[in-house]
Amino acid sequence: MKSGVVIIVTGVMMVICGLILFYAIQSSPQIEPFFRTIKHAGTFIGLLGIGVTLAGILLYLINRNQPQIQEDFDV
């Protein structure tokens, strides 16, 4: 498997994990600091996952198989 595809899959999994961490905890004004930290970590992991996914897409697009250039030197 190419590295771009692996990075895309990793980024998507990070986004999913971030969503789970973010939405697993209810927002309230008197939330405990531990749970607030987990909620903020979910946001951070989700945003990092978006960046990793975009990097994987760019790597995939850059490293696609391109046809070889045939050079004919007719003299």
Side-chain angles (χ1 to χ4, degrees):
M1 197 183 303
K2 293 185 178 183
S3 63
V5 176
V6 174
I7 293 174
I8 292 170
V9 170
T10 303
V12 169
M13 288 188 330
M14 286 176 69
V15 170
I16 291 170
C17 289
L19 285 171
I20 290 170
L21 287 173
F22 183 78
Y23 285 114
I25 298 170
Q26 293 289 329
S27 294
S28 69
Q30 299 166 352
I31 190 171
E32 293 183 24
F34 174 73
F35 294 121
R36 181 176 291 145
T37 303
I38 291 177
K39 192 168 183 88
H40 291 314
T43 303
F44 186 69
I45 291 171
L47 290 174
L48 279 176
I50 292 170
V52 169
T53 304
L54 289 176
I57 291 170
L58 288 174
L59 276 173
Y60 178 77
L61 291 175
I62 290 170
N63 293 329
R64 281 191 298 180
N65 291 335
Q66 297 178 358
Q68 295 292 327
I69 298 173
Q70 296 285 336
E71 295 182 15
D72 294 329
F73 294 107
D74 294 332
V75 182

